[in-house]
Amino acid sequence: MYAVIVNPLSGSGQALSLAKRVMQRIEQSGHKGRLLHCYALENLATQLKHAADAGVTNLVIVGGDGTAHQIINRLPHLDFNIGFVSAGSGNDLVRSLELGTCETEQIDIALFTPTQDMPLGRCNGSYFLTSVGLGFEGFVAHRVAGRRGGRRAAYHSAILGSLFGYHPHRAKFVNCKWKSDEQFLMCSVANSAFSGGGYKVAPNASLQNNELSLIRLAPMGTWSRLPMMFKVAKGAHVSAPEVQQVNLDTLEIRSETRIPAHIDGEPFFANRFRFSSANETIRVRCLGLR
């Protein structure tokens, strides 16, 4: 049995009509399905448990990265076959999965394609699918949250509006093999390459392994920041002297002040971040992992 889970507010409200088309395809194929609305996060875990108890083994998530993040973290267990149909404003997860190029193909892949194991990351006890961004990246996510329209255009606007006056943060970075205490402008711990609606923040990150990729941008002069952001958008920044890239399994970041951050595009604040490759996977219906 299938359950189609949709945030009706995703994609400026277009996600609900898309979810109904997914339900039609399920019925055409002779399978049973139910449509679940995730308006209220406090009720989502209960809805998912009821669906599992009713025999649902296949989930189709219709929405963006934030919707996928909220659902994965409220599943009663990870033993589902999960498909994704993009209807959000960011859709960075979709860029890291081979899900087809048109709506009809994407729906059929989400429903019928054999699954592949996709690794998850953890931050402060929560799973993440794409990345966690700190500092300037987190600040931009806070500014973009709630805006309508394309996430990439909103990111461009937020970056240009705050890039030149943004102040670096100081934090301690602790790994089992090294530690450092330094300032940074922006930091990302990534499970996949894309963030911010298509920015290739962590070009060396891959869903094909069980490692996380740390990307850290050191403080830089005001007029160096905009050219760096253009490089980040294309994934051409890793070789720059201001950038550190490390693959790792665990990391702790500690700061005396709260740092703006996002997890799969969902904004939050914290002064301590504990990361690990979760050594857990979800079964995803896709043509391949990037």
Side-chain angles (χ1 to χ4, degrees):
M1 182 184 291
Y2 288 87
V4 179
I5 312 170
V6 59
N7 177 357
L9 302 179
S10 287
S12 301
Q14 298 178 17
L16 182 57
S17 59
L18 177 55
K20 291 178 179 178
R21 293 195 290 275
V22 176
M23 286 294 297
Q24 290 174 355
R25 183 69 180 97
I26 292 171
E27 293 167 0
Q28 290 170 0
S29 67
H31 293 86
K32 294 182 179 180
R34 56 172 60 187
L35 182 62
L36 304 179
H37 294 183
C38 56
Y39 280 112
L41 295 179
E42 60 269 20
N43 298 328
L44 181 56
T46 301
Q47 285 183 292
L48 292 168
K49 186 178 186 307
H50 288 336
D53 292 343
V56 169
T57 57
N58 299 283
L59 302 179
V60 180
I61 299 173
V62 181
D65 301 320
T67 300
H69 171 82
Q70 298 294 350
I71 291 169
I72 295 300
N73 279 282
R74 286 167 173 79
L75 291 176
H77 55 76
L78 297 179
D79 194 24
F80 292 94
N81 303 314
I82 303 175
F84 297 98
V85 178
S86 59
S89 55
N91 300 320
D92 289 308
L93 177 61
V94 169
R95 290 180 173 87
S96 297
L97 301 172
E98 295 182 24
L99 295 179
T101 57
C102 66
E103 178 184 299
T104 302
E105 184 181 14
Q106 200 172 105
I107 290 173
D108 278 357
I109 289 171
L111 293 174
F112 309 124
T113 299
T115 62
Q116 300 192 40
D117 289 340
M118 173 185 152
L120 298 170
R122 270 192 182 274
C123 175
N124 294 353
S126 294
Y127 293 120
F128 64 92
L129 298 100
T130 57
S131 68
V132 179
L134 285 67
F136 182 68
E137 185 181 347
F139 179 79
V140 169
H142 280 264
R143 293 199 62 178
V144 169
R147 291 192 186 183
R148 292 182 175 272
R151 178 65 63 92
R152 192 175 179 88
Y155 261 75
H156 281 316
S157 175
I159 286 171
L160 291 174
S162 51
L163 178 62
F164 299 110
Y166 193 79
H167 297 291
H169 299 269
R170 177 171 289 278
K172 294 180 179 179
F173 294 76
V174 181
N175 177 261
C176 60
K177 297 180 180 179
W178 52 266
K179 62 176 64 176
S180 64
D181 184 342
E182 54 194 285
Q183 288 188 316
F184 68 94
L185 180 67
M186 175 177 127
C187 175
S188 180
V189 178
N191 195 37
S192 61
F194 295 97
S195 182
Y199 281 74
K200 206 168 186 179
V201 176
N204 294 330
S206 173
L207 293 174
Q208 296 179 353
N209 59 42
N210 201 34
E211 289 185 316
L212 301 175
S213 180
L214 167 67
I215 296 288
R216 184 170 58 192
L217 272 65
M220 62 190 71
T222 300
W223 298 109
S224 299
R225 294 181 178 187
L226 187 58
M228 178 61 74
M229 288 301 111
F230 282 119
K231 291 181 179 180
V232 170
K234 299 177 181 179
H237 57 296
V238 176
S239 60
E242 300 92 345
V243 178
Q244 179 191 27
Q245 191 275 323
V246 181
N247 290 339
L248 42 77
D249 297 319
T250 62
L251 178 68
E252 183 172 351
I253 301 174
R254 300 193 298 264
S255 174
E256 294 183 358
T257 59
R258 294 201 314 160
I259 298 175
H262 77 81
I263 180 168
D264 289 333
E266 298 287 281
F268 70 107
F269 287 94
N271 59 4
R272 175 171 288 190
F273 304 83
R274 294 187 177 95
F275 296 96
S276 65
S277 53
N279 291 320
E280 294 180 88
T281 61
I282 53 175
R283 297 199 305 265
V284 176
R285 295 191 187 275
C286 63
L287 298 178
L289 304 173
R290 297 182 179 132

